[in-house]
Structures are given as C-alpha cells and as structure tokens.
C-alpha cells in the first residue's frame, strides 16, 4: 500500500505524542491533530548553516555551547531530489512543489507535474475546508517557494503571470517584496476583491483584519545585515498569525527565510549568518505561538542546501565567529561605498571590523580598480580566508536537509523522510471537508 493510502490508518493506530516537552506545553491540553499548521522554509538552509548559526550565537564566556531553536526542535531529515528528469539536485521551485503538493516535479515547476498539469496544493485543500491561508517571505512574494504554495505555472520565471494568478489564490495574507511585478491595475483588482494593499512596514499596525497584500520592496526585502530593522520577518510572521488566527476553522501559513539562499549563492557568510538570525527569530515567534496555542503544529525545513558551506577550510581546524560578528555591512554595501569614496580604506576596515594588512589592502585596491563586482568578490574571499569559511559551489547541492517540528502530531516528522512525505503528512492532518 502507498504512504498516502495508509496514512489515515497510521494516524488512528498510533498514539501520537507531540514534542511538547521542548516547548513547555502541558500535553493534557493538546489535541492529537492540529487546528492550525505553519510550515517554515529556510531557503538553502542545509545542515551546515544551522551548525554555523549555533557557533555564531555561542557566548564565548560560558563553558557550554548554547542551543538554538534549531537544536531544540530538530526531529529528522529529508531528501530533496526532484523528478528523475532533473537529476539529483533540486531547485527551489521543484522542492517547493514537493513541499506544497506531495509530488516530485522538474526543476522550475510551480506546482505542476512533469506533464505541466496543475497539482493540488495544501493551500488549496485548506481553502476548500474553509481555513485561512497566507505567506510571509523575504523575497518577492511571486518567487518560487511562495508561488508553489499559491499558484500553478510551468516556469518559475513567469513572474508577471504568477503575480496575476495570485489574485485567484484567495490567500488571506500575502506579505513580502515584489512591488515591480504588481502593476497599479493588478493591485486595483486585489483591492476590488477586498484586499487591503500596503507598501510600508509602518502600515502593518493599521491592519487588523484579513485580507491584505503587503509589498515592502521593489524585489527582495533588505539584507538583514544592512537593515535598520533586522526583525522584519518576525514582524511579518507575528502579523500573519494575528490575522489568520481570526478564523475559527484554522489556517495554514508559509513563512520563508528566502534570502539565506541568496546569500549562499553569493558565498557570503556574513550576510548568511544575519539572515539565519532573522529566520531563527521568526521560528521563535512561532514556537511561542505554539506554546500559547497547543492546537498549532509547526514544521520547519529547508528546500535544499545552497553553496556547500563548510565550517572550517583550507586545512585549518578553526572557524572565527568573533570576526564574523564584527562585520557591520554586507560585502555588496561595503563595495558600493568603497567605489564611491576615494578615501575608502578606513571605511572598509571599519565595516569589516578588523584592521587590514598591507597585502590585503593591495588586493582590495587592485579589485576596486576592476569595478564593483570584482571588489565584492575580493571582500568575500578575504572574509572567508580570515574566518576559515569554505564553499564548494555558487549553486545548490543534493544533500539532505533537516526537519524541525513541534505541536500536535510533531512525532510524525521524526526520522528520515522525503520532502514529498512532509506534504503528505501535513495534508493528512487537515480536517475533513464539511
């Protein structure tokens, strides 16, 4: 028998004991099935990222290395490979399709099968049951992961079509970036359908009821390391929970730390750690919500691993977190400022948080003369050498990723599984149709 055919029987046969101890929840108050489900995706967040974040957050003045939210909630692992025709290394679209529908598809697919036919998503299933749905992300809202939960398209690159199709998703909350893909005419259609449209984070407080589409940047939200408000994803998550929880029938929410992946593609460890901190904080917001609402299930994972990050490199048994903590801006911002200022050396050293040797200054000077891109690469290389950080690729790798869970039925996600099974399990936990 298939997993999907036997899962209902398994649910009834097993005594499901959720992981409430880690969240300090009284198990006597907890149902065996969730009313609400939240899936969190750390885009590109392979296992090395969560390990690196643990060490990045470590207090060097204590004997122990403190746990993070990832350590507290870890329950298993998941494979991420796409449909056979795309090999073993997935992209975000195929992986998001697996997490949203329970089916493998080709790289680039947005919740369509290998024949480009639409696949039913967990968000559609929730809507059919009268539940609320939402997405809160740090990329554009029509990027691969949120798109796969809300719409269907043969290519993740069809951004304009995906933005238009989001109108038909009937999602109650759509929060993130992507202003350039939503014309005034399209936003007018959203408003005609009852959506409140906001484009400034300060306007979040004024929203007290669904529906809302909030687009807070032209494309991606600002890199956390450069942002005056490093808690943006937590704010978007908190507001989403506040709005969606108004539905007595429950909700399904996707939260994505999208830019972990983008920093990984850039092989930018300082920016990646700041994005990890933002995602960890958002996970703690949800963890606290589960404490207060024992009828809520959180499942978090990565869609794939990006960059082939290694903690330690070039034969050195070391990784310098203190150096990384001292970096106050992304290499991209440091580079732009250095190109614009003839007296650039002091500014670069201040942003990096350490003094540069004569050799390092010369290397950066040579790169600066070649332009912004060359200087960015030189800065990242310098940070990697100084911190003993390694990378194997600017793309994705095929390694398994971690799975984190807490709440009703969290034990179902223990152990080794495929990413499609995460979707299957969550779908099986939805209430029966009226």
């Amino acid at each position: 028998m298939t997993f999907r055919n036997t899962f209902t029987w398994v649910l009834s046969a097993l005594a499901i004991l959720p992981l409430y101890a880690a969240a300090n929840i009284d198990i006597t108050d907890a149902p065996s099935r969730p009313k609400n489900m939240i899936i969190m995706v750390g885009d590109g967040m392979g296992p090395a990222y969560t390990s690196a974040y643990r060490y990045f957050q470590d207090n060097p003045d204590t004997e122990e290395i403190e746990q993070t939210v990832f350590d507290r909630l870890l329950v298993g692992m998941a494979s991420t490979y796409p449909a056979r025709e795309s090999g073993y290394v997935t992209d975000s679209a195929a992986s998001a399709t697996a997490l949203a529908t329970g089916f493998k598809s080709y790289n680039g697919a947005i919740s369509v099968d290998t024949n480009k036919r639409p696949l039913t998503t967990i968000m559609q299933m929730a809507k059919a049951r009268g539940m609320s749905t939402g997405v809160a992300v740090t990329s554009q809202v029509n990027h691969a992961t949120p798109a796969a939960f809300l719409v269907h398209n043969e290519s993740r690159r069809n951004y304009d079509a995906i933005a238009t199709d989001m109108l038909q998703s009937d999602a109650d909350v759509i929060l993130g970036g992507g202003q350039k893909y939503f014309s005034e005419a399209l936003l007018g259609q959203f408003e005609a359908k009852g959506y409140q449209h906001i484009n400034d984070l300060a306007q979040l407080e004024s929203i007290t009821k669904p529906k809302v589409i909030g687009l807070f940047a032209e494309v991606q939200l600002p890199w956390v390391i450069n942002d005056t408000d490093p808690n943006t994803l937590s704010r978007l998550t908190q507001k989403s929970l506040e709005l969606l929880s108004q539905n007595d029938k429950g909700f399904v929410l996707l939260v994505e730390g999208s830019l972990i992946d983008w920093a990984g593609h850039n092989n930018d460890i300082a920016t990646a750690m700041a994005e990890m901190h933002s995602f960890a904080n958002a996970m703690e917001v949800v963890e606290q919500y589960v404490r207060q609402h024992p009828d809520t299930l959180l499942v978090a994972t990565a869609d794939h691993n990006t960059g082939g990050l290694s903690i330690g490199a070039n034969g050195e048994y070391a990784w310098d977190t203190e150096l990384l903590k001292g970096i106050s801006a992304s290499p991209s911002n440091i580079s732009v400022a250095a190109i614009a200022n003839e007296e650039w050396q002091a500014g670069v050293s201040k942003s990096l948080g350490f003094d540069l040797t004569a050799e390092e200054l010369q290397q950066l000077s040579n790169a600066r003369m070649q332009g912004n891109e060359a200087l960015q690469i030189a800065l990242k290389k310098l940070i990697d050498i100084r911190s003993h950080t390694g990378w194997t690729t600017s793309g994705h790798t095929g390694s398994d990723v971690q799975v984190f869970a807490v709440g009703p039925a969290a034990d179902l996600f223990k152990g080794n599984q495929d990413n499609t099974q995460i979707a299957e399990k969550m779908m099986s936990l939805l209430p029966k149709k009226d």
Side-chain angles (χ1 to χ4, degrees):
M1 290 193 294
T2 67
F3 181 93
R4 199 183 291 273
N5 290 338
T6 60
F7 199 78
T8 301
W9 178 86
V10 172
L11 277 178
S12 61
L14 293 177
I16 299 168
L17 298 175
L19 301 179
Y20 292 111
N24 298 320
I25 296 171
D26 184 353
I27 195 167
T28 60
D29 295 335
S32 61
R33 282 174 174 265
K35 172 184 174 183
N36 313 307
M37 289 190 284
I38 303 154
I39 181 164
M40 300 189 72
V41 176
D43 198 320
M45 187 184 71
Y49 284 78
T50 56
S51 297
Y53 179 69
R54 180 197 303 129
Y55 304 138
F56 182 76
Q57 286 297 104
D58 178 45
N59 180 355
D61 297 326
T62 64
E63 188 67 27
E64 66 174 343
I65 296 174
E66 294 81 11
Q67 280 195 335
T68 69
V69 65
F70 303 108
D71 298 314
R72 286 196 300 275
L73 303 186
L74 177 66
V75 296
M77 299 290 291
S79 50
T80 64
Y81 57 88
R84 175 64 70 179
E85 64 199 65
S86 290
Y88 300 121
V89 182
T90 191
D91 80 332
S92 291
S95 186
T97 295
L99 291 170
T101 72
F103 288 93
K104 298 288 187 185
S105 196
Y106 58 90
N107 284 343
I110 298 294
S111 287
V112 296
D113 65 17
T114 53
N115 294 311
K116 302 183 179 179
R117 297 173 300 196
L119 295 165
T120 302
T121 71
I122 190 171
M123 297 291 192
Q124 289 176 297
M125 294 175 69
K127 273 293 174 183
R129 288 157 173 77
M131 302 171 74
S132 293
T133 60
V135 297
V137 302
T138 53
S139 65
Q140 59 267 43
V141 297
N142 53 338
H143 204 250
T145 304
F149 277 82
L150 294 182
V151 304
H152 312 276
N153 199 288
E154 67 180 39
S155 174
R156 60 181 292 177
R157 301 298 176 192
N158 293 333
Y159 289 121
D160 292 330
I162 290 169
T164 300
D165 288 347
M166 283 189 161
L167 184 65
Q168 308 307 320
S169 73
D170 207 31
D172 299 272
V173 172
I174 302 173
L175 301 176
Q179 293 168 355
K180 70 176 285 186
Y181 303 104
F182 290 78
S183 66
E184 288 299 320
L186 178 56
L187 290 171
Q189 290 179 272
F190 273 92
E191 290 170 344
K193 202 170 180 179
Y195 282 86
Q196 305 156 87
H197 167 230
I198 57 176
N199 56 18
D200 190 318
L201 284 166
Q203 297 173 293
L204 267 181
E205 296 304 315
S206 68
I207 304 299
T208 59
K209 298 281 185 183
K211 296 180 170 182
V212 59
I213 178 167
L215 305 173
F216 307 111
E218 187 74 359
V219 184
Q220 70 177 80
L221 298 188
W223 295 112
V224 170
I225 197 170
N226 301 326
D227 199 355
T228 54
D229 181 4
N231 297 310
T232 297
L233 185 58
S234 292
R235 291 177 63 190
L236 299 184
T237 302
Q238 187 68 56
K239 177 57 68 171
S240 298
L241 293 170
E242 174 191 320
L243 297 175
L244 296 175
S245 63
Q246 295 175 27
N247 186 344
D248 290 339
K249 292 188 176 182
F251 64 82
V252 176
L253 169 65
L254 165 73
V255 177
E256 185 188 38
S258 320
L259 305 186
I260 300 167
D261 172 66
W262 296 21
H265 280 293
N266 291 340
N267 289 177
D268 183 348
I269 188 59
T271 301
M273 286 300 98
E275 295 301 324
M276 283 292 297
H277 189 51
S278 170
F279 186 65
N281 287 344
M283 274 186 67
E284 289 181 339
V285 167
V286 177
E287 184 186 26
Q288 178 63 23
Y289 185 87
V290 173
R291 287 193 184 103
Q292 297 168 349
H293 302 82
D295 56 1
T296 301
L297 169 67
L298 162 64
V299 178
T301 189
D303 50 354
H304 52 73
N305 179 51
T306 301
L309 170 65
S310 70
I311 306 166
N314 304 317
E316 294 290 335
Y317 289 34
W319 198 55
D320 193 340
T321 58
E322 289 306 304
L323 179 137
L324 294 175
K325 290 176 184 177
I327 299 171
S328 60
S330 66
S332 57
N333 271 26
I334 297 172
S335 177
V336 168
I339 295 289
N341 186 358
E342 285 302 317
E343 301 298 323
W344 56 273
Q345 294 91 337
V348 168
S349 183
K350 181 179 179 182
S351 294
L352 291 174
F354 56 83
D355 293 329
L356 297 163
T357 66
E359 182 181 359
E360 289 168 341
L361 280 170
Q362 187 59 56
Q363 290 170 347
L364 294 181
S365 180
N366 293 342
R368 181 175 176 272
M369 287 189 291
Q370 298 173 52
N372 184 43
E373 184 176 353
L375 182 54
Q376 284 189 48
I377 292 170
L379 285 164
K380 288 182 288 187
K381 183 178 179 181
L382 171 59
I383 292 168
D384 286 346
I385 290 171
R386 284 279 201 131
S387 64
H388 310 294
T389 299
W391 304 91
T392 65
T393 180
S394 60
H396 298 173
T397 74
S399 62
D400 291 357
V401 296
Q402 293 167 307
V403 180
F404 314 87
V406 66
D411 272 6
L412 292 174
F413 301 88
K414 280 186 173 181
N416 191 46
Q417 61 216 289
D418 186 63
N419 56 5
T420 56
Q421 292 176 311
I422 294 174
E424 289 174 341
K425 293 170 186 178
M426 295 188 77
M427 286 174 166
S428 73
L429 293 168
L430 289 168
K432 293 181 179 180
K433 284 186 180 180
D434 294 334

